[in-house]
Amino acid sequence: MGTTGAILRRMLAGRLKIEEVVVELRAQIEKAVRAGLRLTHVDSHKHTHALPRVCEAIVSTIKDYGINSVRAPRERWRFDRDSESFKLITQSAGAFGISQLCRVSDARLKKSDVKTPDFFFGVARTGFWTKPWLIDLIERLPAGASELMCHPGYDDAELDGVKTRLRASRANELRLLTDPDVFAKLKEDDVKLINFSGL
């Protein structure tokens, strides 16, 4: 189950203390700020922040640092032509589970005035981007702010020591995100690109 699974087990056993999560969250935010980064939002590895207790810790802490946005990976199920792939079906099931956890925290997020995009895409298709899929996604974007989770990069020597299945897909995502046809589609459909500070 990985990191999220371990934290979920601790939460279900009543051993996940919000105070400990807050201490770790503050340490990570302060390290990023000391490095000169301007943080626009908070998210977490493997979407651990979708767990209600972790979300509670985040909501109670981030405004101390001038951060008022959080990733909300509430991904709607949608059938793609190539969704018959077993891995895509598995990832879609995982995306559904994460979405349900997020919905548990929605009321807390709204009450605290923490901003999130209206829609989210990316968990189900991580590592499986294609140009037709991305063009179709742009074409079918709902009205409002949508986040596309992505991992663009280069498959180079720096990644040699990193254990991830996403090495090759990083270069693919970078290529697709800079593709002239994708830019043309964004312009044609009047899609405005923003980051979390634009919410």
Side-chain angles (χ1 to χ4, degrees):
M1 280 179 89
T3 307
T4 304
I7 292 173
L8 176 60
R9 286 192 298 274
R10 282 188 67 189
M11 187 181 80
L12 292 174
R15 293 185 294 112
L16 182 64
K17 296 183 173 131
I18 291 181
E19 306 80 37
E20 292 176 356
V21 177
V22 168
V23 167
E24 179 62 27
L25 177 63
R26 286 187 185 280
Q28 291 190 27
I29 290 173
E30 288 167 13
K31 183 174 184 178
V33 170
R34 280 193 308 273
L37 299 174
R38 181 181 161 270
L39 303 180
T40 60
H41 72 288
V42 169
D43 61 45
S44 61
H45 184 60
K46 301 287 187 183
H47 311 290
T48 306
H49 69 286
L51 297 172
R53 300 283 286 170
V54 176
C55 183
E56 185 179 337
I58 288 170
V59 166
S60 70
T61 305
I62 61 173
K63 293 210 174 175
D64 292 348
Y65 298 93
I67 305 167
N68 66 352
S69 299
V70 174
R71 169 178 284 162
R74 298 179 298 257
E75 189 163 12
R76 291 181 178 175
W77 167 264
R78 61 176 252 172
F79 181 80
D80 297 312
R81 285 180 280 280
D82 55 355
S83 287
E84 65 274 5
S85 156
F86 177 74
K87 188 62 181 168
L88 281 174
I89 291 169
T90 302
Q91 285 184 186
S92 294
F96 176 78
I98 292 167
S99 296
Q100 298 315 302
L101 285 171
C102 286
R103 287 186 174 89
V104 172
S105 298
D106 275 350
R108 179 176 285 115
L109 289 169
K110 284 188 177 97
K111 186 177 178 184
S112 68
D113 201 31
V114 170
K115 295 179 177 147
T116 65
D118 302 307
F119 304 97
F120 176 89
F121 303 93
V123 173
R125 292 295 299 213
T126 295
F128 296 99
W129 284 27
T130 63
K131 187 170 173 178
W133 169 79
L134 186 54
I135 296 282
D136 182 61
L137 175 64
I138 293 166
E139 198 167 84
R140 293 168 51 183
L141 279 176
S146 294
E147 178 185 2
L148 173 61
M149 184 184 75
C150 53
H151 307 84
Y154 301 97
D155 186 7
D156 56 20
E158 282 192 49
L159 283 180
D160 283 345
V162 179
K163 193 175 179 182
T164 176
R165 69 177 178 83
L166 301 177
R167 286 187 61 163
S169 68
R170 290 179 189 278
N172 181 52
E173 289 187 16
L174 180 61
R175 181 181 55 77
L176 290 172
L177 289 169
T178 57
D179 187 290
D181 293 337
V182 171
F183 274 103
K185 186 63 181 169
L186 290 167
K187 187 173 182 181
E188 176 188 327
D189 288 16
D190 198 27
V191 176
K192 181 181 175 190
L193 299 178
I194 62 168
N195 64 24
F196 275 83
S197 63
L199 289 178

